[in-house]
């Protein structure tokens, strides 16, 4: 919509590229849907909206208005097109955005598994587990002047110590009460560019952990410097705001994967399965979460839920909603999920094991209340049954 795409159901020709109100019309189109979405979220629920450059700025303003700036969790830049596509500006566009918002302040993002490259960084190990040496100097200056103090470091890198100091409340700094001996040098939290920083820990913390968690090593300029053990606490970590794994390629693990499942190309621009998996890990820490995708397209979200359940034994559920223009829902969305659940043969003839799960496919329709009074009893009974089935689905009592 507003992008110039000719195969999008919402006719782009309706909004001319020179229309001064084209952004306003897009906002009007999205506003009703996003307001409704907010009512469907749990108090700790998270909504994820993926979008490209055409409307990301206006979408952010709209999301701030509906969900509140205080519930903005972050924007991820996903490298979804490694080959890039040319643009009017001359740049090769290779990314899209994913905006994360919570319904309330109760929303919390989840963690992602570390890549093997990240795990390999922790080459050292001791009784407390893997770690890497990190420069003790902090990368910023805090408001606390007590985080700035001298450290005496052995020239041969055999150790360091905090010298005798006295806090001067008038100067808001420490007075040094002794000089280093001939085997020591004085270091302070100043970076190579001469900018004043702070130490990572206070004096009390350094004194309590220095033997086990700190040491002296040569820095990149071959000068003795204090380092600390940056530990890998586990194999999960908070997500970065730039996602650039090759698994996020929409062509290789979106379009090609879908063609392999269905046997032929039936849908343009499906998203990468693995970009959806990681988005769900960030948005739903609860393994029993219900995931709603109301622009389901090819059904990648449902596929991602099934894959996650298989990986970690979760019991996540999904609800996918889409129209059926050109039989998309019947021939792509539903067919993909059915094959993924039961198993299929890929284009190479290899049998891919099914992920399991149950699938119900419903069509929506409008009921004319005025005409309902003149509807035959058998039609009323059928309608009641169908409504009852939906209620049972809602109450999780459907067999």
């Amino acid at each position: 919509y507003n992008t110039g795409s000719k195969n999008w159901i919402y006719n782009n020709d309706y909004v001319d590229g020179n229309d001064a109100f084209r952004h306003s019309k897009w906002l009007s189109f999205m506003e009703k849907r996003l307001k409704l979405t907010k009512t469907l979220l749990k108090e700790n629920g998270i909504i994820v909206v993926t979008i490209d450059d055409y409307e990301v700025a206006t979408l952010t303003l709209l999301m701030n208005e509906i969900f509140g700036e205080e519930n903005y969790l972050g924007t991820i830049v996903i490298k979804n097109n490694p080959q890039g596509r040319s643009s009017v500006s001359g740049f090769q566009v290779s990314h899209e955005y994913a905006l994360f918002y919570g319904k309330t302040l109760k929303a919390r993002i989840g963690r992602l598994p570390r890549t093997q490259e990240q795990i390999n960084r922790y080459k050292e190990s001791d009784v407390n587990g893997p770690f890497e040496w990190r420069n003790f100097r902090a990368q910023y200056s805090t408001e606390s002047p007590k985080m700035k103090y001298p450290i005496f470091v052995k020239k041969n890198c055999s150790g360091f110590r905090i010298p005798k100091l006295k806090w001067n409340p008038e100067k808001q700094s420490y007075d040094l009460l002794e000089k280093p001996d001939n085997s020591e040098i004085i270091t302070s939290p100043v970076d190579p560019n001469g900018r004043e920083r702070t130490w990572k820990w206070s004096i009390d913390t350094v004194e309590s952990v220095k033997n086990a968690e700190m040491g002296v090593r040569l820095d990149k300029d071959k000068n003795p410097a204090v380092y600390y053990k940056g530990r890998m606490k586990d194999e999960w970590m908070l997500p970065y705001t730039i996602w650039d794994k090759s698994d996020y390629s929409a062509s290789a693990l979106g379009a090609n994967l879908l063609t392999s499942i269905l046997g032929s190309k039936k849908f343009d621009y499906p998203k990468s399965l693995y970009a959806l998996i990681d988005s769900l890990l960030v948005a739903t820490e609860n393994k029993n979460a219900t995931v709603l995708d109301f622009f389901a397209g090819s059904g990648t979200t449902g596929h991602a839920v099934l894959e996650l359940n298989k990986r970690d034994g979760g019991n996540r559920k999904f609800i996918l909603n889409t129209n059926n223009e050109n039989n998309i829902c019947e021939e792509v969305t539903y067919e993909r999920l059915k094959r993924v659940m039961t198993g299929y043969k890929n284009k190479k003839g290899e049998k891919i094991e099914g992920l399991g799960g149950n699938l119900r496919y419903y069509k929506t329709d409008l009921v004319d209340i005025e005409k309902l009074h003149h509807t035959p009893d058998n039609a009323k009974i059928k309608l009641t049954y169908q409504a009852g089935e939906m209620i049972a689905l809602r109450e999780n009592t459907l067999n």
Side-chain angles (χ1 to χ4, degrees), residues 149-153 160-166 174-180 184 186-187 203 207 210:
Y149 49 87
I151 297 178
F152 289 1
V153 178
F160 71 95
R161 66 185 177 94
I162 305 295
K164 294 178 182 178
L165 304 169
K166 182 178 180 180
Y174 287 105
D175 290 332
L176 182 58
L177 303 181
E178 64 173 313
K179 294 181 180 180
E184 297 173 321
I186 301 176
T187 64
I203 291 176
E207 294 288 11
K210 68 178 184 180

Side-chain angles (χ1 to χ4, degrees), residues 124-142:
E124 310 281 349
S125 185
D126 60 15
V127 293
N128 294 317
F131 68 89
E132 63 174 346
W133 287 109
R134 297 176 184 169
N135 196 304
F136 185 55
R137 184 180 59 241
Q139 299 301 308
Y140 51 86
S141 179
T142 69

